[in-house]
Amino acid sequence: MTVTPFNDDWTVRPKISGFVNLMGGSESTDVTLPHDAMITLPRSEHASGGAPSAFFPGGEVEYSKRFYVPTEWRARRVALQFDGVYRDAMVYVNDEFAGQWRYGYSVFRLPVDAHLRYGTVNTVRVEARAHRDSRWYTGLGIYRDVHLVVTPLAHIIDNAVRVTTPDVDAERAVVESAVQVTNEDVITRRLTLAVEIRDASGAVVADDRTPVTLRPGAATTVRSRLYVDEPHRWGVDDPYLYSFTARMLDEEDPATEHELVVSFGARTLRIDPRRGLRINDETVKLRGACIHHDNGPLGAATIRRAEERRIEILKEAGFNAVRSSHYPISPAMLDACDRLGMLVFDEAFDAWTEMNQPFDYTLDFPEWWERDIDAMVRKDFNHPSVILYSIGNEIHEYGSGAGGILSREIAERIRANDETRFITTAVSSFWAVAGEVIGELKDRLDTAVARGVNDVMNEMTEFFDAVTVSDVVTVRTAESHAAADIAGLNYAEARYAPDAARFPNRVVLGTETNPRVTAMSWRETLAHDHVIGGFTWTGWDYLGEVGLGRTDYTDDLEVRGGGDPAFPWLTAWAGDIDITGMRRPQSFYREIVYGLRRDPYIAVLRPEHYGRRRLEMQWAWSDAISSWTWDVPVGSRAEIEVYCDADEVELILNGESLGRRPAGADNDFTARFDIEYHPGDLVAVAYRDQVASERSTLTTAQGRVLTAHADREQIRNDSGDLAFVTIEFADPAGVPNPSRDSSIEVRVDGPGRLQALGTARPATAERFDATSCTTFDGRALAIVRPTGPGEIIVTVGAEGETVRTAITVLET
């Protein structure tokens, strides 16, 4: 069998009807997959998707690719596998309809034998559409990998191979495999299935052989039970992977040998309300990050290196788990999570039968949900990183009897495919009972709106908290929670304690938590054994749902609210990590709360806004950065937040103590100061039991020069690889200088192209497909994709300066 990448040499153009095409169609553009056709479309305040879609328009596109089909493939089976097409994919081969898939996040495979012409060039065409069908930016087109699958007539069904480790201890691991094989030949085949397990060094540690007789058109499952001595277990801190090889042998026709290799990890999962979640018999609290699927400047394009880099950065920031909010995660990211040691909470849907957007998945759910559940489980099964499935996020039906029925049906569908993992919900207490309480909320908000946006937000928070712990929520959501193994709660820390008494057998997970209450949320998580962790909204900033975490400023005391986010807002601005991969202050705060960092972290609220009213949205963090280089008059006032787990923090400016302030858990891990800005060294010193310990320093930049650094000096000649070039203004000693922003220009020479260029600026009309942009806080990011082996030179120019960085592309 061969499974080969099928990402090169595609074209894309807007889809138009055949009648219109007779009058002259639009030009096609050469592209390499994965590709997002939406990210290059013009944004507008009049775009139909509005703020949820980041003011990008919807559209219809058509991809095409020509490929040669050898004559010998007449004795083979040929299929195309799409890891994801957003959405309503229609696939044609040689202008004949080959199949479709409605959901934009499912892996699907289509046999194409019936449509092929052998010994000549064939054409595959894929249509996709997106229009007001999601609460966030979705992208458009073939945004995940495509594979060409060619197998012998008698072959292993590669996406149905399952490897499990049901029994693991220090002495040995039991490895059970189920390999589905089929015979599409016209004669009976007498074959042998050979299986083996290799460790990370490539040494064979277990093997087996089984004779298999298959009549024409028959299929069967061949099971093996292998034993690995002294197994090396997979875990977050040691993500050790074994490989499982299945080889179909025919001694009479060796040319039809068929081999498949999959990775797996030896690990065990357990849950109970007294010891929580145990992985390999050790209790683990999930430090989780909710993430959306876009890759910032790349749009929705799921290029493998971009997925891997996100997991690397999230893990460095202290997270040990990700939640794919609110859709099945990509195979590329699953591979990265397996290799790097990141736990995965894979989610199926954001809606069932009650819509969130006019043309969303509710239109497809009744007919398609079973196929999409099967596709999610089939994709995940052999990945040790996957520990949880969610049946849906903030589903309106969770609080009804009909929702209870659907909860059980979906959960049982998952269990029928996979009994090795746990199932959770993601219940919003408010939306589960909204029909009963919305009137009361409106009355309270009518009163609060006259007092301003902060009063509105406080009123909403107080009301939601009251609803969350109400008896009506307890009763109405009980059936949906009972359908799952773990009760998933969005923004409901107030239920942790009472649920322990009401439901002594219930295990709870904070499926969404607010960054503003990180300390409280984590304290409650640690205090309750039945709570296995929490997932912040959100770990990585994303396109769409714009302005969710923004801070607005005003000097007008009469302004009563920040209003709706307006164009050109682009991102939610609610992530611990921005869309370019830079950690924001809240990320370091979270690391301290988790107990993973002891050094204090200094965050400076932007001095140019000192004294102004701050209108902060519910998911907003302090509008601060870690810098002591500001373009404000000396002596200007500045508010300082020092995040620290020590008892106290002393702030020292240019050798002069500005006093101590309490910090630590009793003060939400934050010491606050109000000081004058004077350039120099700002030092924060942690005090533990009155003894000075760790310290951190911010230094004013002495000058401003342009720099550019690639994340790796060498990349592979592979369209799935990328180089991320950080462009930054700093002084000659390397101290960042974000004091003002400048226009930069980027040129790529050699075997590569500029795939995207942009910043983390949350509100901008600049495009990611341009060769120039304006820095944000002194930074920008250029993303380079290789086109061949050799040396790429990235040249960056700004303010009369030019810098270059070299990237070597190695032949694969």
Side-chain angles (χ1 to χ4, degrees):
M1 180 184 89
T2 59
V3 178
T4 58
F6 205 60
N7 291 334
D8 296 333
D9 303 320
W10 288 79
T11 64
V12 65
R13 67 173 183 172
K15 172 62 182 176
I16 55 178
S17 73
F19 296 104
V20 176
N21 198 35
L22 291 174
M23 306 302 294
S26 56
E27 293 294 324
S28 296
T29 302
D30 294 336
V31 295
T32 300
L33 305 181
H35 174 260
D36 179 6
M38 185 179 286
I39 199 67
T40 61
L41 297 179
R43 299 171 65 224
S44 165
E45 60 186 325
H46 305 297
S48 60
S53 69
F55 301 102
F56 280 91
E60 305 80 36
V61 291
E62 174 183 286
Y63 291 82
S64 295
K65 175 182 171 71
R66 290 163 55 83
F67 66 108
Y68 182 76
V69 176
T71 303
E72 55 266 29
W73 284 7
R74 290 183 185 276
R76 298 287 187 270
R77 285 291 172 259
V78 184
L80 290 174
Q81 177 170 305
F82 297 86
D83 287 353
V85 180
Y86 202 90
R87 58 170 287 192
D88 294 327
M90 301 283 285
V91 182
Y92 303 83
V93 176
N94 296 321
D95 290 328
E96 296 178 354
F97 176 67
Q100 71 173 145
W101 204 277
R102 303 299 300 273
Y103 199 27
Y105 301 106
S106 288
V107 176
F108 64 97
R109 178 176 294 187
L110 299 175
V112 296
D113 310 80
H115 313 286
L116 294 178
R117 300 167 186 166
Y118 298 94
T120 188
V121 173
N122 290 240
T123 301
V124 58
R125 174 165 52 90
V126 181
E127 297 175 2
R129 299 159 181 82
H131 173 63
R132 300 184 67 190
D133 49 29
S134 179
R135 295 191 295 154
W136 55 84
Y137 175 88
T138 61
L140 168 64
I142 310 178
Y143 73 103
R144 291 179 178 172
D145 289 316
V146 182
H147 312 272
L148 178 67
V149 183
V150 182
T151 65
L153 295 178
H155 61 270
I156 299 166
I157 303 174
D158 65 295
N159 59 0
V161 173
R162 301 195 164 193
V163 183
T164 60
T165 56
D167 185 1
V168 183
D169 58 29
E171 294 182 1
R172 88 297 177 255
V174 177
V175 181
E176 294 183 351
S177 64
V179 180
Q180 291 188 31
V181 294
T182 186
N183 178 21
E184 298 184 57
D185 206 340
V186 295
I187 60 173
T188 297
R189 301 290 295 273
R190 293 172 177 81
L191 309 166
T192 298
L193 183 71
V195 298
E196 65 183 22
I197 297 171
R198 294 178 181 267
D199 64 17
S201 72
V204 176
V205 294
D207 60 359
D208 193 20
R209 294 171 70 90
T210 304
V212 183
T213 302
L214 288 170
R215 296 186 184 278
T220 191
T221 299
V222 182
R223 300 184 183 273
S224 298
R225 187 175 171 92
L226 304 177
Y227 302 88
V228 176
D229 293 331
E230 298 180 351
H232 195 146
R233 303 191 197 191
W234 186 96
V236 170
D237 297 323
D238 187 9
Y240 189 92
L241 293 172
Y242 289 92
S243 65
F244 173 85
T245 301
R247 186 178 297 110
M248 182 78 82
L249 306 172
D250 185 344
E251 295 180 1
E252 296 180 359
D253 188 3
T256 63
E257 179 179 314
H258 182 202
E259 180 179 287
L260 174 71
V261 181
V262 298
S263 296
F264 74 97
R267 58 110 176 95
T268 57
L269 299 176
R270 296 181 184 178
I271 56 167
D272 67 70
R274 284 160 290 282
R275 299 188 63 179
L277 169 68
R278 283 182 285 171
I279 301 177
N280 299 325
D281 297 322
E282 293 186 4
T283 297
V284 176
K285 292 283 189 178
L286 298 178
R287 306 188 301 270
C290 295
I291 57 173
H292 270 316
H293 72 296
D294 72 78
N295 274 303
L298 295 169
T302 306
I303 300 172
R304 297 184 73 84
R305 171 56 190 161
E307 300 286 85
E308 178 183 65
R309 175 176 177 263
R310 278 213 285 170
I311 297 303
E312 288 174 349
I313 292 171
L314 286 163
K315 187 163 186 179
E316 289 170 2
F319 293 109
N320 64 8
V322 293
R323 173 193 181 201
S324 63
S325 328
H326 308 289
Y327 51 83
I329 199 169
S330 73
M333 185 166 279
L334 283 180
D335 289 342
C337 291
D338 288 347
R339 293 193 307 272
L340 298 172
M342 182 69 79
L343 302 171
V344 175
F345 163 0
D346 206 3
E347 192 152 63
F349 310 118
D350 189 49
W352 293 348
T353 62
E354 294 287 340
M355 77 171 193
N356 292 314
Q357 290 290 314
F359 303 102
D360 65 14
Y361 185 72
T362 56
L363 299 176
D364 303 319
F365 177 86
E367 182 180 355
W368 281 85
W369 75 262
E370 292 169 304
R371 281 173 282 185
D372 288 316
I373 286 292
D374 293 350
M376 179 179 72
V377 176
R378 185 166 54 242
K379 164 181 65 72
D380 291 356
F381 194 91
N382 293 320
H383 290 278
S385 56
V386 179
I387 62 170
L388 290 171
Y389 297 115
S390 167
I391 61 177
N393 172 67
E394 295 184 344
I395 301 299
H396 299 270
E397 299 94 316
Y398 272 148
S400 68
I405 293 170
L406 278 171
S407 295
R408 293 184 188 280
E409 289 180 351
I410 297 171
E412 290 307 312
R413 185 79 181 195
I414 293 174
R415 292 186 180 105
N417 286 279
D418 185 355
E419 292 184 330
T420 70
R421 294 175 173 91
F422 304 118
I423 298 170
T424 188
T425 51
V427 172
S428 164
S429 299
F430 176 78
W431 286 117
V433 297
E436 295 182 34
V437 302
I438 194 71
E440 181 183 349
L441 175 61
K442 288 179 178 179
D443 290 342
R444 293 175 66 162
L445 294 184
D446 286 343
T447 302
V449 73
R451 302 193 300 270
V453 66
N454 292 329
D455 288 309
V456 169
M457 298 307 297
N458 289 336
E459 192 70 44
M460 290 180 66
T461 299
E462 291 174 6
F463 182 78
F464 286 167
D465 287 346
V467 170
T468 294
V469 297
S470 66
D471 290 338
V472 66
V473 169
T474 302
V475 172
R476 291 274 297 274
T477 61
E479 186 172 5
S480 290
H481 282 315
D485 305 303
I486 298 165
L489 303 175
N490 286 6
Y491 310 106
E493 291 90 345
R495 290 201 69 94
Y496 292 176
D499 274 9
R502 289 176 183 144
F503 305 99
N505 297 313
R506 178 177 286 183
V507 177
V508 168
L509 174 63
T511 40
E512 277 182 36
T513 66
N514 194 308
R516 297 170 71 91
V517 297
T518 295
M520 178 279 291
S521 180
W522 190 242
R523 181 178 65 248
E524 291 297 299
T525 299
L526 294 179
H528 295 97
D529 294 335
H530 71 294
V531 180
I532 65 172
F535 286 77
T536 186
W537 195 268
T538 178
W540 196 286
D541 200 22
Y542 57 97
L543 306 178
E545 285 191 308
V546 300
L548 192 73
R550 75 189 191 279
T551 299
D552 292 333
Y553 295 93
T554 181
D555 296 318
D556 188 347
L557 297 179
E558 299 302 315
V559 172
R560 298 304 182 191
D564 294 330
F567 180 83
W569 267 90
L570 175 68
T571 74
W573 199 234
D576 279 25
I577 298 162
D578 70 33
I579 61 169
T580 68
M582 293 296 298
R583 294 177 64 184
R584 299 175 63 201
Q586 67 199 63
S587 171
F588 295 93
Y589 175 83
R590 188 181 308 280
E591 192 177 17
I592 289 167
V593 171
Y594 284 159
L596 303 175
R597 175 189 173 100
R598 289 175 63 85
D599 292 345
Y601 182 87
I602 308 171
V604 181
L605 278 68
R606 300 176 189 270
E608 63 265 31
H609 296 303
Y610 181 87
R612 304 182 70 191
R613 289 181 64 209
R614 290 196 295 266
L615 307 178
E616 296 175 332
M617 303 301 108
Q618 186 175 353
W619 285 268
W621 192 254
S622 300
D623 187 19
I625 64 173
S626 188
S627 175
W628 198 236
T629 305
W630 297 98
D631 188 16
V632 297
V634 173
S636 297
R637 302 297 299 185
E639 295 178 74
I640 312 297
E641 296 179 341
V642 182
Y643 311 139
C644 187
D645 66 345
D647 307 321
E648 292 182 307
V649 169
E650 181 183 20
L651 203 60
I652 302 171
L653 178 57
N654 297 328
E656 179 183 350
S657 175
L658 303 180
R660 295 190 199 177
R661 298 287 187 276
D666 291 341
N667 295 278
D668 282 339
F669 299 93
T670 304
R672 291 177 169 83
F673 299 83
D674 189 319
I675 69 173
E676 290 185 353
Y677 173 66
H678 293 276
D681 293 328
L682 184 65
V683 181
V685 182
Y687 280 81
R688 305 175 190 276
D689 296 325
Q690 300 300 315
V691 177
S693 53
E694 302 81 12
R695 63 177 55 208
S696 297
T697 302
L698 293 181
T699 299
T700 304
Q702 303 298 309
R704 192 168 184 266
V705 296
L706 184 64
T707 66
H709 302 285
D711 63 331
R712 293 173 300 153
E713 295 180 352
Q714 296 181 337
I715 62 176
R716 294 170 290 106
N717 180 26
D718 180 339
S719 61
D721 207 353
L722 297 166
F724 290 82
V725 180
T726 299
I727 301 162
E728 185 173 36
F729 286 100
D731 72 5
V735 176
N737 187 335
S739 59
R740 69 179 190 275
D741 288 307
S742 303
S743 177
I744 62 168
E745 186 81 25
V746 177
R747 188 181 76 243
V748 175
D749 295 304
R753 64 173 178 270
L754 183 62
Q755 188 73 22
L757 173 67
T759 72
R761 190 182 302 278
T764 178
E766 293 185 336
R767 299 170 61 98
F768 292 127
D769 60 346
T771 59
S772 64
C773 73
T774 304
T775 60
F776 175 62
D777 288 337
R779 295 189 185 95
L781 180 72
I783 305 174
V784 178
R785 198 172 193 179
T787 58
E791 186 176 64
I792 298 172
I793 302 296
V794 180
T795 304
V796 184
E799 298 182 348
E801 291 186 79
T802 300
V803 295
R804 294 179 177 83
T805 187
I807 303 159
T808 301
V809 184
L810 303 176
E811 188 63 83
T812 53

